[in-house]
């Protein structure tokens, strides 16, 4: 007779991305049996899709404590805490080595796509005996595994939001799919030919949109005929510029300053109050986006839908979930991460209690746990799985002691923010340091910090796009009324 008692079964972790692997590391440290089910052929398959993108947060906010401890035991050389990794760096220097550790590797299954979850012999309606029944995890090939607990770290990458302004696909969006890129295109690599010398419209007002707009502007410097339109639903793009010098992450503040510069100088055409209602193909080369009444139209060669992502709960349809009706996040978590009230750095620390559902033993973690809220930081997800692993190991004191040191508003510097721009645009640390030195020389004879940066950049023959963005950031730091820098 097969023993189906819960204490003999592993914890099933769905997804081998940063949060899923962190969950595995914490479970391994506490000697809790687990299996990681990853749909891709490698760890961090979704991160690899945006390997060209530089993160806003430095290494110190992107690695998990338990993972670092396990890696250190294997002789891992930890990256410099203050450096800003790309997605590729994150995979190569952290996630791939983590997944290859003897404590984790034998328990990770690749090509294992989870298609459904339920309880053994019990559907969603039945209550009696529910807590004692193992989870059934069904895979795409029909195989079923049993688990004592499920930690869903599958993310949202496979479920991008649509271009349509009301949350529904725009009329014709499906037919125009070949012209639409979701997420963050690699405009200097694999996707260059789609944008060089062409007109791209970027739809969306978040950080992904800003990243893409800045990359396209840099591409335009070397590819004549490259034009860019930025379509936003609101009338004022200022919220997308972020906090500038007051942003809690210098790289993100620098990003907003650079975006403001592009709009102010006309290098990006702003289409404000544009709500995409329909997308129509124009022959074999172009598409036309139109507002609801047809009063506004944009003709483009390519659309980048930087409209975010949303969670897919279809695999858990037979489980009892309690989701916030607005955020699509666990109900207790939703008010703590509401983007109308919180930025990434002001979310309230939370753990297994806030992530619990009426379905005992099922937890959604990481980006997926935030539903539609765009305020997620990896550090938050690491704390989520630390708390859950402690609870599963019976250490309720540690599980309930949820503490999180997030970057605070005002933690910024002209050096760190400027360096973020320099690195993203291909300048070395040495070039940036040289720029700072020459800028200091020009400060006494310049009317503003921004002018001093531009003069120094000209003297050093630094790329005009990089110079303008560095100058814009310096202006946010020192030239704005009341600015004092940090």
């Amino acid at each position: 007779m097969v023993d189906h008692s819960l204490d003999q079964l592993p914890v099933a972790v769905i997804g081998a991305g940063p949060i899923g692997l962190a969950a595995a590391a914490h479970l391994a440290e506490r000697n809790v049996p687990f299996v990681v089910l990853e749909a891709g052929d490698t760890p961090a398959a979704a991160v690899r899709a945006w390997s060209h993108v530089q993160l806003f947060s430095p290494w110190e906010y992107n690695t998990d404590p338990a993972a670092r401890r396990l890696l250190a035991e294997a002789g891992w050389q930890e990256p410099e805490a203050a450096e800003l990794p790309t997605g590729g760096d994150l995979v190569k220097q952290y996630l791939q080595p983590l997944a290859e550790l003897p404590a984790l590797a034998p328990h990770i299954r690749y090509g294992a796509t989870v298609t459904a979850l339920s309880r053994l012999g019990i559907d969603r309606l039945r209550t009696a005996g529910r807590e004692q029944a193992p989870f059934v995890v069904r895979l795409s090939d029909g195989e079923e595994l049993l688990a004592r607990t499920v930690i869903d770290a599958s993310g949202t990458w496979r479920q991008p939001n649509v271009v349509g302004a009301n949350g529904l696909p725009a009329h014709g969006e499906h037919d125009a799919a070949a012209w639409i890129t979701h997420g963050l295109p690699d405009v200097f690599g694999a996707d260059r030919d789609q944008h060089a010398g062409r007109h791209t419209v970027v739809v969306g007002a978040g950080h992904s949109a800003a990243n893409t707009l800045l990359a396209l502007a840099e591409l335009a410097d070397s590819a004549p005929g490259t034009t860019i339109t930025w379509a936003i639903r609101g009338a004022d793009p200022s919220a997308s510029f972020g906090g500038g010098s007051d942003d809690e992450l210098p790289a993100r503040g620098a990003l907003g300053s650079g975006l403001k510069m592009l709009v102010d100088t006309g290098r990006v055409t702003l289409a404000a109050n544009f709500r995409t209602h329909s997308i129509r193909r124009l022959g074999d080369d172009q598409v036309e986006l139109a507002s609801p009444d047809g009063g506004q139209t944009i003709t483009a060669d390519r659309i980048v839908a930087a409209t975010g992502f949303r969670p897919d709960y279809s695999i858990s349809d037979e489980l009892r979930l309690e989701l916030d009706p607005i955020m699509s996040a666990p109900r207790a978590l939703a008010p703590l991460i509401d983007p109308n009230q919180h930025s990434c750095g002001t979310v309230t620390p939370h753990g297994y209690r806030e992530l619990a559902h009426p379905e005992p033993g099922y937890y959604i973690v990481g980006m997926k746990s935030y539903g539609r809220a765009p305020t997620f930081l990896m550090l938050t997800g690491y704390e989520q799985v630390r708390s859950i692993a402690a609870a599963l190991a019976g250490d309720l004191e540690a599980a309930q002691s949820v503490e999180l040191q997030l970057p605070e508003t005002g933690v910024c510097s002209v050096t760190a923010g400027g360096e973020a721009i320099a690195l993203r645009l291909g300048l070395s640390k040495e070039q940036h340091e040289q720029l700072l030195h020459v800028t200091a020389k020009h400060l006494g004879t310049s009317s503003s910090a921004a002018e001093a940066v531009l003069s120094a950049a000209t003297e050093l023959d630094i790329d005009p796009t990089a110079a303008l963005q560095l100058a814009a950031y310096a202006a946010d730091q020192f030239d704005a009324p009341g600015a004092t820098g940090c």
Side-chain angles (χ1 to χ4, degrees), residues 300-375:
D301 301 299
R302 194 76 195 170
I303 299 170
V304 175
T307 49
F309 298 83
R310 61 179 67 178
D312 179 2
Y313 292 118
S314 59
I315 65 170
S316 51
D317 189 54
E318 279 303 315
L319 302 183
R320 298 176 175 182
L321 305 189
E322 187 173 20
L323 300 171
D324 180 79
I326 299 173
M327 220 83 66
S328 294
R331 188 180 289 274
L333 176 60
L336 309 181
I337 60 172
D338 185 346
N340 296 300
Q341 305 293 329
H342 298 285
S343 69
C344 300
T346 64
V347 299
T348 303
H350 55 275
Y352 81 103
R353 289 174 297 186
E354 292 82 5
L355 296 166
H357 288 276
E359 191 67 62
Y362 177 66
Y363 300 96
I364 303 167
V365 299
M367 182 74 79
K368 187 173 180 178
S369 73
Y370 272 46
R372 296 199 186 190
T375 47

Side-chain angles (χ1 to χ4, degrees), residues 89-183:
D89 295 333
L90 195 67
V91 172
K92 183 178 180 181
Q93 299 181 49
Y94 171 58
L95 296 173
Q96 186 72 41
L98 178 59
E100 292 173 355
L101 290 176
L104 270 64
H107 309 287
I108 303 175
R109 291 185 53 177
Y110 298 107
T113 301
V114 177
T115 58
L117 299 167
S118 189
R119 293 278 191 175
L120 184 63
I122 295 177
D123 64 12
R124 193 167 69 183
L125 291 178
R126 181 175 167 181
T127 299
R130 193 168 194 87
E131 290 191 27
Q132 289 73 43
F135 284 94
V136 175
V137 183
R138 179 174 293 179
L139 305 182
S140 58
D141 62 2
E143 181 184 357
E144 292 184 346
L145 302 115
L146 299 183
R148 59 175 282 197
T149 299
V150 174
I151 300 176
D152 185 349
S154 57
T156 59
W157 184 255
R158 296 172 183 267
Q159 189 81 1
N161 276 328
V162 296
V163 179
N166 58 2
L168 302 176
H171 292 284
E173 184 169 340
H174 178 75
D175 292 339
W179 282 263
I180 302 173
T181 299
H182 292 276

Side-chain angles (χ1 to χ4, degrees), residues 142-485:
E143 181 184 357
E144 292 184 346
L145 302 115
L146 299 183
R148 59 175 282 197
T149 299
V150 174
I151 300 176
D152 185 349
S154 57
T156 59
W157 184 255
R158 296 172 183 267
Q159 189 81 1
N161 276 328
V162 296
V163 179
N166 58 2
L168 302 176
H171 292 284
E173 184 169 340
H174 178 75
D175 292 339
W179 282 263
I180 302 173
T181 299
H182 292 276
L184 294 152
D186 184 3
V187 301
F188 301 113
D191 302 317
R192 188 182 192 279
D193 291 344
Q194 295 180 352
H195 303 281
R198 297 168 181 262
H199 177 208
T200 299
V201 56
V202 178
V203 181
H207 298 121
S208 294
N211 249 322
T212 298
L213 289 162
L214 287 164
L216 288 169
E218 186 182 352
L219 177 65
D221 288 341
S222 59
T226 303
T227 56
I228 312 151
T229 297
W230 180 24
I232 61 173
R233 289 183 291 182
D236 183 2
S238 59
S240 299
F241 299 148
S245 63
D246 292 326
D247 199 285
E248 61 264 29
L249 295 171
R252 194 169 59 197
L255 185 77
S257 300
L259 178 56
K260 185 175 187 300
M261 175 272 297
L262 293 180
V263 174
D264 290 346
T265 59
R267 298 182 65 190
V268 165
T269 300
L270 178 66
N273 291 315
F274 192 93
R275 298 175 180 272
T276 306
H277 180 258
S278 63
I279 303 173
R280 182 168 64 95
R281 292 170 53 179
L282 302 177
D284 295 328
D285 300 319
Q286 294 184 312
V287 289
E288 180 186 75
L289 293 79
S291 61
D293 58 3
Q296 290 179 285
T297 61
I298 302 172
T299 299
D301 301 299
R302 194 76 195 170
I303 299 170
V304 175
T307 49
F309 298 83
R310 61 179 67 178
D312 179 2
Y313 292 118
S314 59
I315 65 170
S316 51
D317 189 54
E318 279 303 315
L319 302 183
R320 298 176 175 182
L321 305 189
E322 187 173 20
L323 300 171
D324 180 79
I326 299 173
M327 220 83 66
S328 294
R331 188 180 289 274
L333 176 60
L336 309 181
I337 60 172
D338 185 346
N340 296 300
Q341 305 293 329
H342 298 285
S343 69
C344 300
T346 64
V347 299
T348 303
H350 55 275
Y352 81 103
R353 289 174 297 186
E354 292 82 5
L355 296 166
H357 288 276
E359 191 67 62
Y362 177 66
Y363 300 96
I364 303 167
V365 299
M367 182 74 79
K368 187 173 180 178
S369 73
Y370 272 46
R372 296 199 186 190
T375 47
F376 178 74
L377 285 177
M378 276 188 279
L379 200 64
T380 311
Y382 296 150
E383 180 62 8
Q384 290 177 340
V385 296
R386 183 208 62 79
S387 174
I388 292 169
L392 294 177
D395 187 353
L396 293 184
E397 181 179 355
Q400 294 169 5
S401 178
V402 182
E403 299 177 2
L404 194 61
Q405 296 297 319
L406 291 172
E408 298 176 0
T409 299
V411 180
C412 57
S413 72
V414 70
T415 301
E419 187 176 289
I421 294 177
L423 291 174
R424 180 168 48 76
L425 294 177
L427 301 180
S428 66
K429 284 188 175 182
E430 291 73 20
Q431 286 176 304
H432 181 247
E433 289 172 359
Q434 189 177 16
L435 178 65
L436 290 177
H437 178 75
V438 177
T439 296
K441 183 182 71 175
H442 284 281
L443 281 173
T445 57
S446 301
S447 61
S448 66
E451 183 180 317
V453 172
L454 289 174
S455 298
T458 300
E459 182 176 326
L460 296 172
D461 196 27
I462 287 177
D463 176 82
T465 295
L468 282 169
Q469 291 184 47
L470 289 162
Y473 193 64
D476 274 347
Q477 289 277 349
F478 297 112
D479 295 339
T484 58

Side-chain angles (χ1 to χ4, degrees), residues 18 45-55 86-88 90 157 184 378:
V47 179
R48 294 172 194 270
W50 47 268
S51 61
H52 58 287
V53 176
Q54 187 180 63
L55 278 70
T86 63
L90 195 67
W157 184 255
L184 294 152
M378 276 188 279

